[in-house]
Amino acid sequence: QVQLAESGGGLVQAGDSLRLSCVASGRTETMGWFRQAPGKDREFVAGIRWTGSITSYADSVKGRFTVSRDNARNTVYLQMTNLKPEDTAVYYCAASTAVLTSRGSEYSSWGQGTQVTVSS
């Protein structure tokens, strides 16, 4: 099983930017970012394959968030811009053997999560 470690969360103001990082101990097919706000279900945010250039985003973050990877460092990033209070959540990275899936049930490895708080 792949070990994952997120970092980069914090407290920011609305309109600010933040970059999350996720270091993986190995590679599967797809890396995904999910988030869970208090009292809400976990939701897919973005996904990227370790090969190729195809990415996937939730509609709520399209145009504001960018997922990327550094294969040499086994690291996936989530660049978040124009943050909004509704982006406040614990953000998780996850690894899947499926191709660019947005289903949390298809991810077998999860990081511990990093808190992102956006104040208005």
Side-chain angles (χ1 to χ4, degrees):
Q1 197 170 19
V2 177
Q3 304 299 316
L4 304 171
E6 306 98 334
S7 62
L11 172 62
V12 297
Q13 294 186 333
D16 284 351
S17 299
L18 206 57
R19 189 178 79 160
L20 305 182
S21 300
C22 175
V23 180
S25 63
R27 298 182 197 172
T28 53
E29 176 63 40
T30 297
M31 292 295 292
W33 285 98
F34 290 78
R35 67 186 181 186
Q36 187 166 22
K40 295 188 177 182
D41 293 335
R42 180 182 61 197
E43 64 173 351
F44 173 78
V45 175
I48 187 169
R49 300 178 67 184
W50 281 112
T51 59
S53 58
I54 299 175
T55 55
S56 177
Y57 296 94
D59 288 343
S60 59
V61 306
K62 280 181 182 177
R64 300 189 298 122
F65 290 12
T66 303
V67 61
S68 61
R69 68 177 193 270
D70 183 337
N71 286 20
R73 291 181 168 82
N74 269 13
T75 300
V76 176
Y77 304 98
L78 184 67
Q79 178 69 49
M80 306 183 292
T81 63
N82 190 23
L83 283 160
K84 304 176 181 181
E86 51 264 43
D87 294 318
T88 295
V90 177
Y91 284 71
Y92 300 90
C93 69
S96 173
T97 57
V99 177
L100 270 185
T101 179
S102 62
R103 297 179 179 179
S105 60
E106 296 186 352
Y107 287 79
S108 56
S109 298
W110 294 82
Q112 81 285 356
T114 185
Q115 176 71 47
V116 172
T117 303
V118 184
S119 64
S120 58

